[in-house]
Amino acid sequence: MDTSVLKGVPLFKDLEPEDLEALGELMSETSLKRGDSLFREGDEGDRLYILTEGKVKLSHSSDDGRENLITAIEIAGAHIGGRPEVPEVSLYFQN
């Protein structure tokens, strides 16, 4: 992954360049089409997703099968100081 993207993530802003490079080597990029799922409710939470462009909807399936929208996140590709600024969103759910 391009380290300029990682520099724009608040979680990684204080990392040294060599640490950003090492982290970038561990990460991979993926592209999804409208309607594709990145992950599903109940999947193991073993990944970090960084949205750099596009829109993601987070939803919860109710017991009767209806989809309830939790939030929608849209990134328009804003750049500040020559690098992407990636907002940070954390979600925690307790059953």
Side-chain angles (χ1 to χ4, degrees):
M1 171 173 264
D2 182 358
T3 58
S4 66
V5 172
L6 296 176
K7 288 178 191 175
V9 178
L11 180 65
F12 306 131
K13 69 180 173 71
D14 295 326
L15 290 181
E16 297 296 328
E18 59 272 7
D19 295 328
L20 284 171
E21 190 68 39
L23 182 60
E25 290 175 9
L26 296 173
M27 301 178 85
S28 62
E29 295 183 37
T30 189
S31 296
L32 300 174
K33 293 180 278 182
R34 183 184 187 109
D36 287 350
S37 293
L38 187 58
F39 61 90
R40 298 201 177 276
E41 188 173 353
D43 285 355
E44 189 172 341
D46 60 352
R47 288 178 171 74
L48 170 69
Y49 298 99
I50 300 172
L51 178 64
T52 59
E53 185 178 356
K55 183 176 184 177
V56 173
K57 292 191 302 183
L58 301 173
S59 61
H60 167 74
S61 296
S62 63
D63 291 338
D64 62 6
R66 288 183 295 157
E67 180 184 44
N68 299 308
L69 182 66
I70 295 170
T71 191
I73 303 165
E74 186 167 9
I75 303 297
H79 287 70
I80 298 173
R83 69 173 197 239
E85 282 293 318
V86 181
E88 187 173 329
V89 176
S90 299
L91 298 173
Y92 299 95
F93 296 96
Q94 184 174 3
N95 294 335

